[in-house]
Amino acid sequence: MKRYNLDLLKEQCGDDKGFFNEMLDIFVRSTMEGITEMEVALKKNDIKMLGHYAHKIVSPCRHIEAKNLITLLKEMETSADKNELTSERASFLIEKVKTEASDLIGDLKGEYV
Amino acid sequence: MKQHGFTICVIEDNEWYNKLLVHTLSLNPDFTIKSYLTADSFLKDLDTSPDLVTLDVRLPDMSGTELFKKIKEHNPNIQVIIISEQDEIQTAVDFLKNGAYDYIVKEKDIKTRLHHSINLIRANRQLEDKIAVLEKEVINKYDLQKTIIGNSSAVQNVLKLVEKTLENNITVVITGETGTGKEVVAKAIHYNSIRKNKNFIAVNVAAIPSELIESELFGHEKGSFTGANNRRIGKFEEANGGTLFLDEIGELDLSLQAKLLRALQEKEITRIGSNAPIKFDSRIIVATHRNLKEEIKTGRFREDLFYRLMGFPIELPPLRSRGQDVLVLAKYFINGFCKENKIPIKTLTEEAKNKLLNYHYPGNIRELKSVIEFALVIGSNKEIIGEDISFISDELSPEIVTEEMSLREYELKIVSSFLKKYNNDVKMVAEKLNIGQATVYRMIKELNGTKIKAKEIQQTGK
């Protein structure tokens, strides 16, 4: 089963292949940057900021229907907002996000680059 | 109407979504799109006052709520659409309550919803621009010098009196014969007064059946009487903040005079079927062709209401006493009619001028307007000649004056005859006789109260 669905993005980009590729680049870069930011926040034990970065990444994931990533990021965001996210759980979730994101980006690159 | 592009500021810290929104919106060539990743960078540009802001709820340097507040404080006319990852009803309600135009969740249909909202905003903006232009036109149309036309001392005196009423809320009573322009003067007062940006509501008391007038003035609640299927606000509420013009106030039933007096004294009205009083703040202008002092003597008008209304009296002179104003007005009507109908402007020959100046105008300015329009249509010369000028009184049957009757009785007889002829079509009768519909209604009332009615019905009904 595919980890993503780019139909909506393709529809919005229309014939503009350049824009489509640019959006994929942004997705890859911003997701990786976001994960790094989450790791930094966790090191600082700044759970609120960690939740903020999870929120930031989740929108593009929703757009391309990256369901596994959405589930992990939403858990981080929601429990961080409620002050219920422990460092242990955060660390576990970040690792899962890294693995899932890495697989997804790999699939993307395999299909489009 | 103002023709301009449409500037949209996209404030979105997520680079992906920012790009996507900018791309989607840029597809419309009418839009100028500006992109911001932080609240701070946008605030530096706030003075440029965009037409629309799309605002992400969560920003790194400031909450969406706080930035929204700042935008609205700076310029409440900037429309804001909230774009949110969160589908939280309470957050959406709070934003919409505080003036956000829409709250859109980042989902599949965002493009459609966004364009739909923007189209509505643009349509509203165009309507607002149009209204502003029309309001300006109305105010220009009722410019005192353009509305109250004439050089006679009587009219100049009216103009001076009108000017005295503009900076205050004093109740104005306009008296004068039918066709002297009482409503025109009322409008001129309103559109030059401090209330000019609010409603001018005119009610012709004589033209509304007595059983409906209370509801018309004060409104009613649903189910308050048979046929009251919905709540309806009355003219007092419609005119709130503006001016309420009560034309032919002398025709108001005594029972309603008491209610009107109470409303004016308490500055509040109560809708029919309700117990809750509603405060109003309207300037009141009334008009009548009757001598209200005489009406008090005969018991047809309440003395206390008379004194409550008698704030600032303005009496409009009959046209026959205004001398050369007849020609000034005639020229005004010629220009207006020719411009409206896109025909070359005609002038009056000396003979036509003399004919106009030597007539007594029982229908006053309204009659003169009709005479001029008729002359412009009927005449085939470059000028309006004497023959083109035709007065209704010229067409009266000669035998009518052989009977010994008062002038009023003659008038009633004529109206009665026309009502019969045109199957009681008041509008038609008013048009044919060059008088107002209110006058016809008034005369019907009078006919109902006199034996003439019975006599006429018998005669004309044969």
Side-chain angles (χ1 to χ4, degrees), chain B residues 6-52:
Chain B
F6 194 79
T7 304
I8 304 173
C9 288
V10 173
I11 311 171
E12 169 65 66
D13 68 323
N14 184 293
E15 192 186 352
W16 162 281
Y17 236 91
N18 195 311
K19 280 264 180 199
L20 202 64
L21 285 173
V22 170
H23 174 80
T24 302
L25 296 170
S26 300
L27 295 175
N28 187 326
D30 292 344
F31 298 166
T32 303
I33 314 295
K34 293 179 179 176
S35 161
Y36 303 90
L37 291 165
T38 61
D40 191 45
S41 58
F42 169 72
L43 286 172
K44 283 174 187 160
D45 269 5
L46 189 53
D47 280 339
T48 57
S49 285
D51 295 289
L52 169 68

Side-chain angles (χ1 to χ4, degrees), chain B residues 91-267:
Chain B
T91 313
V93 170
D94 288 345
F95 271 112
L96 295 172
K97 260 186 182 175
N98 289 316
Y101 192 84
D102 203 353
Y103 183 97
I104 300 176
V105 178
K106 291 173 182 172
E107 284 186 345
K108 280 185 177 180
D109 62 347
I110 186 169
K111 184 180 166 187
T112 314
R113 282 205 56 189
L114 192 55
H115 278 292
H116 177 70
S117 282
I118 293 173
N119 287 340
L120 289 175
I121 289 170
R122 294 186 82 200
N124 283 344
R125 184 61 53 88
Q126 280 171 353
L127 269 180
E128 283 167 10
D129 289 348
K130 207 170 181 176
I131 288 168
V133 169
L134 288 173
E135 278 178 346
K136 210 174 165 183
E137 275 178 15
V138 168
I139 288 165
N140 190 36
K141 184 181 171 188
Y142 288 102
D143 180 278
L144 281 187
Q145 301 296 334
K146 289 179 188 166
T147 315
I148 302 171
I149 296 160
N151 301 321
S152 65
S153 58
V155 163
Q156 290 305 310
N157 188 40
V158 167
L159 205 54
K160 279 180 195 163
L161 290 174
V162 165
E163 281 170 354
K164 297 275 184 198
T165 68
L166 303 181
E167 300 294 323
N168 51 63
N169 288 322
I170 193 166
T171 301
V172 179
V173 184
I174 306 169
T175 53
E177 292 178 9
T178 183
T180 46
K182 295 186 282 291
E183 183 161 345
V184 172
V185 170
K187 279 183 181 168
I189 291 173
H190 172 76
Y191 287 112
N192 289 279
S193 76
I194 46 181
R195 292 172 177 266
K196 65 185 172 191
N197 292 322
K198 298 284 182 175
N199 286 345
F200 173 85
I201 302 291
V203 183
N204 191 321
V205 174
I208 300 168
S210 56
E211 61 270 23
L212 297 180
I213 189 78
E214 185 177 358
S215 160
E216 192 73 13
L217 290 177
F218 304 126
H220 62 249
E221 294 294 338
K222 185 179 178 181
S224 54
F225 53 83
T226 309
N229 298 324
N230 293 299
R231 168 189 279 183
R232 184 178 179 214
I233 67 160
K235 298 297 183 188
F236 270 93
E237 283 181 80
E238 265 188 66
N240 198 28
T243 302
L244 178 63
F245 174 53
L246 299 172
D247 198 2
E248 300 296 2
I249 189 77
E251 311 307 310
L252 195 64
D253 278 354
L254 275 168
S255 61
L256 268 166
Q257 286 180 25
K259 288 181 181 171
L260 177 62
L261 175 67
R262 188 180 150 67
L264 297 177
Q265 277 175 339
E266 305 298 326
K267 290 268 176 200

